[in-house]
């Protein structure tokens, strides 16, 4: 079984009603499915939250962590 974890719960994450029901309270049967859903979460966070942080996914054993960079590079 695989799980997805969000490294830090910023204010935007705490306000997102879909976060727990779609990603954090679920277990996944295989790595590919967990990776896909973690990438969906990272993309959702990058597209819909405040844009002060940048999110990406990494694997650590049976956990796919969605990591947050505390400061995004400035757009050119």
């Amino acid at each position: 079984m695989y799980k997805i974890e969000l490294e830090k719960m910023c204010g935007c994450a705490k306000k997102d009603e879909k976060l727990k029901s779609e990603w954090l309270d679920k277990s996944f049967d295989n790595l590919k499915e967990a990776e896909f859903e973690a990438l969906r979460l990272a993309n959702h966070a990058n597209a819909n939250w405040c844009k002060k942080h940048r999110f990406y996914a990494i694997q650590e054993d049976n956990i796919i962590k969605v990591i947050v960079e505390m400061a995004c590079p400035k757009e050119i």
Side-chain angles (χ1 to χ4, degrees):
M1 294 297 248
Y2 295 88
K3 293 184 118 337
I4 296 173
E5 289 182 358
L6 185 59
E7 180 188 45
K8 294 183 181 174
M9 294 288 283
C10 64
C12 294
K14 292 175 185 175
K15 293 175 192 172
D16 192 326
E17 295 176 10
K18 291 174 46 173
L19 180 62
K20 285 191 176 191
S21 64
E22 285 199 30
W23 292 292
L24 299 185
D25 286 345
K26 288 186 172 182
S27 293
F28 302 92
D29 292 329
N30 62 62
L31 177 60
K32 292 282 184 200
E33 183 182 9
E35 286 176 329
F36 178 77
E37 290 300 322
L39 288 172
R40 280 189 60 227
L41 170 54
N43 287 335
H44 172 79
N46 288 325
N48 297 298
W49 295 354
C50 69
K51 313 251 188 310
K52 291 181 182 177
H53 307 103
R54 184 174 179 169
F55 298 85
Y56 60 96
I58 62 166
Q59 179 187 353
E60 290 184 2
D61 299 318
N62 288 358
I63 297 171
I64 309 297
K65 290 190 175 188
V66 176
I67 305 295
V68 59
E69 289 180 2
M70 295 310 289
C72 290
K74 292 183 180 180
E75 292 184 24
I76 298 174

